[in-house]
Amino acid sequence: HEGSLRQSCADSLGYLRSPRAVGPLIEALKTEKNYQCRSSYVSALGLIGNRDAIPALKARMEQVDEIEFVRSGAALALARLGDASGRPHLVRNIESRLPGLQIVGMNGLAQLNEPFLAGYLNAALESGYDEVWTSAVYLFPRLGPMRALPILRTRLESPQEVLRRRAALAMGFLGSD
């Protein structure tokens, strides 16, 4: 129960974007044994947006004995802070078999305005995981109409009905007719 409470507190501090929480979260991250709490700590640090958290996030991302989901969360938090040092990690996530890591990768690369994001999102439309292709649909507007529409129009010509529907949905989020 204590771990759930610490996790909920960290999540709340992140959503509230509480700058006073940065120091305590960094300190808690150093000694926390519960990986779910560590994951919430790195996420909160990324949401708060204080660049003082960058060294702690880099250290957590590079810690080889850390759970992959926490390392990936640290890479995403770094991306939210405008730090591209986690980019290679995010690209590896895109190629993961785990849908949760694929989503973290796409979101992090979107935060970094990754030039190859369009290709990743296009490929994600073919995912067998609803959460992956749905995330791609929501991220297409980040590309802007000039980059997204040519890809989505091509997908509208696909022989696979499911890909046509997914492309139409993404176009709806762009506001295109």
Side-chain angles (χ1 to χ4, degrees):
H1 294 301
E2 287 180 27
S4 296
L5 180 59
R6 290 191 307 277
Q7 186 178 356
S8 293
C9 288
D11 291 340
S12 295
L13 291 168
Y15 293 128
L16 292 170
R17 297 190 177 20
S18 174
R20 292 185 354 201
V22 172
L25 284 169
I26 290 171
E27 287 306 310
L29 185 59
K30 293 176 184 177
T31 59
E32 181 62 59
K33 294 190 183 329
N34 182 315
Y35 81 90
Q36 293 163 319
C37 290
R38 291 192 309 272
S39 180
S40 289
Y41 298 164
V42 299
S43 177
L45 289 168
L47 289 171
I48 292 168
N50 186 315
R51 295 183 60 81
D52 292 344
I54 289 175
L57 291 168
K58 282 184 182 182
R60 187 55 55 173
M61 180 186 66
E62 294 167 356
Q63 189 171 336
V64 293
D65 62 341
E66 179 57 270
I67 301 279
E68 183 58 34
F69 195 73
V70 176
R71 294 176 71 198
S72 297
L76 174 58
L78 287 164
R80 286 182 173 145
L81 294 170
D83 185 303
S85 62
R87 184 189 174 283
H89 202 90
L90 296 167
V91 170
R92 280 193 305 276
N93 284 347
I94 293 280
E95 299 163 1
S96 172
R97 294 184 340 237
L98 302 173
L101 292 180
Q102 292 174 26
I103 292 167
V104 168
M106 284 190 297
N107 279 290
L109 294 173
Q111 291 288 325
L112 295 172
N113 296 312
E114 167 65 39
F116 301 109
L117 181 62
Y120 296 132
L121 296 180
N122 189 24
L125 288 176
E126 297 181 14
S127 176
Y129 296 106
D130 289 343
E131 59 271 35
V132 172
W133 71 259
T134 301
S135 293
V137 163
Y138 283 115
L139 288 171
F140 261 102
R142 303 272 317 241
L143 299 175
M146 297 296 288
R147 290 181 60 209
L149 286 175
I151 294 167
L152 295 172
R153 284 184 180 130
T154 300
R155 286 295 188 169
L156 287 174
E157 298 170 6
S158 171
Q160 298 177 4
E161 181 183 348
V162 69
L163 292 179
R164 293 193 306 269
R165 281 189 275 133
R166 292 173 184 178
L169 184 59
M171 288 176 89
F173 282 103
L174 281 167
S176 172
D177 35 39

